Amino acid sequence: MSRLVPATPTAFHRLNPLTKVTLATTGSVGAVIVGGYLGPLTILGVMIALAAQAGVLRALLRASLFLTLPLAISVVLVSVFTRAGTTVLFQVGPFDATMEGVDFAGQTLVRLLAISMSIGLFVMTTEPRAFVFDLERRGVPPRAAFVAVATIEAVPTLIERAGVIGESQRARGLDTEGSLRARLRGLIPIVAPLILGSLTDVEERSLALESRAFSRPGRRHLLWTMPDSSPERVLRWALVLVLVLAGIARITGRI
Amino acid sequence: MSFSWGRFDTRTIVLIPIAIAINIVLGQTVAAALKIPIYLDSIGTILVGVLAGPIPGLVTGLLANLIWTYVLPAPLQSSYAAPFAVVAAEIGFLSGVFAQLGWFRSRPNSSGQQLVIAAVVALVIVGGLAIYTVSRFYTGAFTFFSPEGDQSVAFQLLGWLIAVGIVGVIVGFLALLFLRRDAGVAYVVVAGVIMGVISALISAPIAAVVFGGVTGSGTDLLVAAFQQGGSDLQTAVLQQGLLSDPIDKVVTSFVVFLLLRSVSRRVIARFPQGEAAVGMERP
Amino acid sequence: MLELSGVSYRYAGYPDPVLHDVDLTLADGEIVGVVGANESGKSTLCLVVSGLAPGSVGGQLTGGGLSIDGQPMAGRPLHEFVTRVGIGFQNPATQLSGVTGSVFEEVALGPMNLGASRRDTVQRTRQALATLGIEGLAERAPRRLSGGQAQLVVLASLLAMRPGHLVLDEPTAQLDPEGSLLVASALRELAATGTALLVAEHKTDILEGLCTRIMALADGRTVADGAPAEVFGDARLTDWGVDPPARIRLDRLVRERGLDPAQVLP
């Protein structure tokens, strides 16, 4: 049953999914709570080190930068040029680039990178279905687990279907370029059948699932388990504690 | 009229992942295709709220954002979705409540009198909300739109565009209402505006604190404009949100309203709150 | 042994019943085919026999009710039906759960949902795959199956729950000829295992070699119930909206020409 156990090329991959997601959440929430430069940069550093160990550093950096680039442009525009500040660095038309703006933009970018790297590391080293089923083993209701896993396949299926509908509509002379009005007209004959078709699907799928005992209450014995260990348990609680302490410190003004 | 908080039967559970997929697919493609800031990325959440009830709607919103961040694989995955789970939950919950109140029902063949009353009530409510939010959140923000200000022509143009946009929406709403002779349009618009306003209020602090006020889309220009006009970041984000969110939610709600009219009764009736949402008295 | 006695069924929100006073017995090991025009009630019959009507789709079941192995099933929760009656539908795409990464997991889903131990689940899955001869598909992604293969996986998924009876509502309707053949031969394999089968089909050719009994429905009522030769030979068959099997049509054509089928046909 090799396909049920995800690929585990490195030690980091082999960590229990809950550990990896706790790490990701601590990193991303922590970056927001702590603020400034030091906290997020430390978190970034930790994630980079872990990613290097897991062999995903290049891919992770590429994905994070790609995700953050459009935001970076907006951040610069909104924070550097229009944010209130006193120390003007240079001017572009009526817009002043201030030191305060640059500082704020810098902190924002570092925080965003810390968030995307933290979560990205988890996503790149964890098989999503393994994560969800591990959660189910820990007590998450099977129907919630179903929703999470079903979404993974529902998205590509919907995209495929949209493509098919789009093709058949275009074959019937539908115009998808042009003015706003034309584009609007072009979108409705695709969106409507897509959603309507999905709704009628729900009936068939529900009946099929019922015939597989879907609505039987109670836990089930999953076919595989993700290994867990005591050190990981300790680490998870430690991370949660750190996060809580950071939150308290922030609220009470220590940071 | 009974009010239900919703049920999680098998159809609801099957609907939710499909609704989340609709959110994600439409969210990525509609705005890009239309090139206007209408995302329709809460349409699935609202569908669940309407067809299954407020609590399922709330759960859908929460799960949608959490799954988008923590479960979906690349390239669909988005690390920046999770912080807005609360907003999505609120939209799902409110849409369910409004559907239970009958606000998503079609009322075809409304009499002229009903239409006029509906239009007036809707305009009063929306107008009242507008006046309240303007007086509360936009004091001084529009100075840069006025010709006396020392700001560039671009901002004045932006200001006029916004004004035209608002007038256009009102005219469009009235046209739809009277042309379709369906008083339900008024209810849907009010529902959308309320959801939009509340969404803007909840998401502004999140956007400001976590993302420095930006989303990577065109609306960031508005935020920049308001900040240039003197607002601090959180206020600027709120000012932008209170303009774009209601429009997006009204359009989304209206799309759901139209969809409900096109789906056969048989399909809708199978959903736990389907009949309640569309009203049972139909020939 | 599955029994419907004088059952009528009406969908929720519709005033008229779709099934009127229908009797059905499905003894262990029997293979019964159900034929009828499009709105004759075949699909509804399948839903009623499997408990999904009224259990999942609502509506009202009146009359004698459904009993399985002597136990009345009225009001029982759906998961209690599943171990006694499995039901398969015509669209392979919507019957695959969408949450499994391989055919093996897909077939294992039913037993897992039933709370079976890990060992039991694996054993039942292996057995079901073997019965249908699809062990080779075990590692495949369900999304990448052909229509016919998917239907076989669905059959295996149902079998894995070890129901005594299987109901199939037009299993080949959405399949190409190759897929239909695949499913038809799988049904023959299934028949050999002793599971009782109720198969609703338009393709009477498939039913002819397979069934021990044929039931014909028209407007929600039973209009014929007997041996395949008898029912398929009935002149009223086309009135009921059913195409007789090719062999019988050919036979008739030959006789109409005044020829002797025994001499002309192979």
Side-chain angles (χ1 to χ4, degrees):
Chain A
M1 288 203 254
S2 52
R3 85 212 75 74
L4 299 176
V5 177
T8 52
T10 71
F12 187 81
H13 281 81
R14 278 189 280 279
L15 288 175
N16 186 278
L18 192 64
T19 311
K20 287 183 276 186
V21 79
T22 310
L23 198 59
T25 310
T26 309
S28 50
V29 176
V32 174
I33 291 180
V34 171
Y37 286 102
L38 187 60
L41 281 173
T42 314
I43 293 171
L44 253 182
V46 169
M47 296 303 158
I48 288 177
L50 289 172
Q53 200 278 329
V56 297
L57 182 57
R58 251 238 227 119
L60 183 60
L61 277 173
R62 210 174 335 144
S64 286
L65 288 170
F66 185 70
L67 185 69
T68 317
L69 193 63
L71 283 180
I73 297 172
S74 291
V75 165
V76 166
L77 185 66
V78 171
S79 298
V80 172
F81 287 104
T82 59
R83 190 178 174 83
T86 49
T87 329
V88 179
L89 293 174
F90 58 91
Q91 283 189 325
V92 175
F95 302 108
D96 306 328
T98 60
M99 194 64 210
E100 290 83 357
V102 171
D103 183 41
F104 187 81
Q107 289 186 31
T108 304
L109 282 172
V110 160
R111 184 192 323 129
L112 287 176
L113 274 175
I115 293 175
S116 66
M117 293 279 285
S118 300
I119 298 182
L121 177 62
F122 163 70
V123 170
M124 281 191 178
T125 56
T126 310
E127 159 81 37
R129 289 173 53 244
F131 170 47
V132 174
F133 289 132
D134 186 61
L135 287 178
E136 183 180 336
R137 195 178 57 80
R138 291 175 193 278
V140 164
R143 304 197 303 170
F146 171 85
V147 168
V149 179
T151 308
I152 299 175
E153 200 176 291
V155 180
T157 304
L158 199 69
I159 294 176
E160 253 177 53
R161 202 192 213 147
V164 169
I165 296 178
E167 286 297 318
S168 70
Q169 298 286 33
R170 262 186 287 273
R172 281 186 236 157
L174 187 70
D175 175 28
T176 47
E177 310 291 308
S179 72
L180 174 63
R181 199 130 182 267
R183 275 179 271 139
L184 204 66
R185 291 225 134 132
L187 215 56
I188 295 171
I190 298 182
V191 169
L194 191 65
I195 298 184
L196 294 179
S198 301
L199 286 181
T200 43
D201 251 12
V202 171
E203 180 69 17
E204 287 184 15
R205 288 180 183 273
S206 305
L207 292 178
L209 282 173
E210 295 285 15
S211 75
R212 315 281 280 288
F214 184 73
S215 56
R216 177 182 162 276
R219 299 278 300 275
R220 38 186 208 162
H221 301 284
L222 298 171
L223 283 180
W224 62 94
T225 47
M226 300 296 304
D228 198 1
S229 62
S230 298
E232 288 187 58
R233 248 185 294 268
V234 170
L235 176 63
R236 291 197 292 267
W237 282 113
L239 286 171
V240 171
L241 192 64
V242 163
L243 203 57
V244 170
L245 287 176
I248 295 175
R250 180 61 186 253
I251 293 174
T252 57
R254 296 288 166 75
I255 304 185
Chain B
M1 178 178 56
S2 62
F3 186 99
S4 167
W5 291 110
R7 262 187 2 156
F8 283 100
D9 66 358
T10 303
R11 278 175 193 78
T12 307
I13 303 287
V14 170
L15 177 64
I16 294 179
I18 294 177
I20 297 177
I22 292 176
N23 279 357
I24 295 177
V25 171
L26 258 56
Q28 312 268 23
T29 50
V30 170
L34 291 179
K35 319 247 189 304
I36 50 176
I38 296 206
Y39 299 96
L40 294 191
D41 61 356
S42 34
I43 193 166
T45 314
I46 293 181
L47 264 173
V48 178
V50 168
L51 291 173
I55 305 287
L58 181 142
V59 167
T60 304
L62 272 180
L63 287 180
N65 285 57
L66 292 175
I67 290 174
W68 201 348
T69 294
Y70 288 107
V71 177
L72 287 184
L76 302 163
Q77 186 264 352
S78 164
S79 297
Y80 296 137
F84 291 104
V86 173
V87 183
E90 159 259 320
I91 293 172
F93 182 75
L94 282 180
S95 65
V97 168
F98 292 142
Q100 290 294 310
L101 294 175
W103 291 17
F104 277 90
R105 284 188 205 160
S106 207
R107 290 145 215 264
N109 309 312
S110 311
S111 70
Q113 189 188 40
Q114 284 173 318
L115 290 174
V116 169
I117 295 177
V120 166
V121 171
L123 284 172
V124 163
I125 295 179
V126 173
L129 264 175
I131 293 173
Y132 170 72
T133 52
V134 166
S135 64
R136 177 104 195 262
F137 301 113
Y138 287 85
T139 47
F142 287 119
T143 52
F144 69 89
F145 289 130
S146 69
E148 299 94 50
D150 60 351
Q151 305 296 339
S152 70
V153 174
F155 278 128
Q156 292 182 30
L157 207 59
L158 195 58
W160 279 109
L161 267 173
I162 294 176
V164 165
I166 293 177
V167 170
V169 164
I170 295 178
V171 168
F173 155 62
L174 288 170
L176 272 165
L177 180 69
F178 286 96
L179 284 175
R180 301 189 82 107
R181 303 201 67 83
D182 187 339
V185 171
Y187 289 84
V188 173
V189 168
V190 173
V193 168
I194 295 179
M195 284 194 282
V197 167
I198 298 185
S199 297
L201 287 170
I202 301 180
S203 63
I206 301 174
V209 167
V210 178
F211 295 96
V214 302
T215 54
S217 66
T219 50
D220 295 338
L221 282 171
L222 261 182
V223 176
F226 282 118
Q227 238 192 177
Q228 180 76 341
S231 310
D232 66 79
L233 182 64
Q234 193 150 311
T235 312
V237 175
L238 185 59
Q239 289 165 342
Q240 174 273 119
L242 285 170
L243 286 175
S244 60
D245 270 337
I247 297 177
D248 183 53
K249 299 301 173 279
V250 166
V251 172
T252 310
S253 302
F254 194 64
V255 172
V256 171
F257 173 74
L258 287 176
L259 283 170
L260 288 176
R261 284 170 56 130
S262 334
V263 184
S264 77
R265 309 289 344 270
R266 251 191 60 179
V267 171
I268 291 198
R270 295 282 170 81
F271 290 102
Q273 302 305 320
E275 290 189 333
V278 297
M280 287 174 54
E281 63 290 334
R282 272 261 283 238
Chain C
M1 161 91 134
L2 187 151
E3 268 183 281
L4 273 181
S5 1
V7 154
S8 299
Y9 176 79
R10 178 174 74 75
Y11 281 104
Y14 288 80
D16 303 314
V18 171
L19 291 178
H20 301 267
D21 209 28
V22 174
D23 290 309
L24 170 72
T25 45
L26 190 63
D28 296 337
E30 257 201 303
I31 324 267
V32 176
V34 180
V35 297
N38 268 327
E39 297 292 308
S40 58
K42 296 198 306 296
S43 292
T44 310
L45 181 66
C46 292
L47 289 177
V48 167
V49 170
S50 64
L52 287 177
S56 180
V57 301
Q60 214 181 27
L61 191 67
T62 49
L66 171 72
S67 73
I68 303 183
D69 296 328
Q71 309 246 6
M73 300 296 292
R76 298 259 194 125
L78 277 172
H79 60 89
E80 283 190 30
F81 279 86
V82 156
T83 47
R84 298 174 164 93
V85 188
I87 178 165
F89 302 94
Q90 41 173 291
N91 186 352
T94 50
Q95 289 190 90
L96 295 173
S97 66
V99 291
T100 53
S102 70
V103 164
F104 191 93
E105 286 174 64
E106 181 73 26
V107 176
L109 188 64
M112 240 193 352
N113 283 343
L114 287 173
S117 73
R118 218 168 287 155
R119 205 160 59 123
D120 259 350
T121 300
V122 171
Q123 194 184 43
R124 294 199 199 184
T125 307
R126 290 216 176 114
Q127 232 170 27
L129 289 172
T131 306
L132 285 160
I134 52 172
E135 299 99 314
L137 292 179
E139 304 295 314
R140 289 262 219 111
R143 281 189 74 195
R144 303 209 198 296
L145 298 170
S146 73
Q149 289 171 327
Q151 284 290 50
L152 290 188
V153 170
V154 169
L155 283 175
S157 316
L158 296 172
L159 270 188
M161 291 182 288
R162 307 233 171 108
H165 316 81
L166 260 188
V167 177
L168 298 172
D169 187 4
E170 301 203 43
T172 65
Q174 297 194 13
L175 302 181
D176 58 18
E178 195 183 321
S180 301
L181 274 175
L182 208 58
V183 171
S185 60
L187 290 180
R188 267 184 277 280
E189 304 278 328
L190 270 181
T193 64
T195 313
L197 290 182
L198 184 77
V199 185
E201 258 294 349
H202 274 297
K203 299 182 176 123
T204 44
D205 290 301
I206 294 179
L207 297 178
E208 202 191 9
L210 181 72
C211 301
T212 53
R213 225 175 79 219
I214 303 286
M215 223 177 109
L217 286 181
D219 291 321
R221 286 170 220 276
T222 318
V223 289
D225 190 344
E230 184 191 314
V231 177
F232 285 147
D234 196 315
R236 296 168 292 171
L237 207 58
T238 38
D239 295 334
W240 297 329
V242 181
D243 279 328
R247 196 181 53 80
I248 294 190
R249 273 182 281 139
L250 212 52
D251 198 271
R252 284 208 189 121
L253 264 176
V254 168
R255 281 187 209 276
E256 276 168 22
R257 303 271 148 96
L259 298 167
D260 179 10
Q263 294 197 334
V264 176
L265 294 175

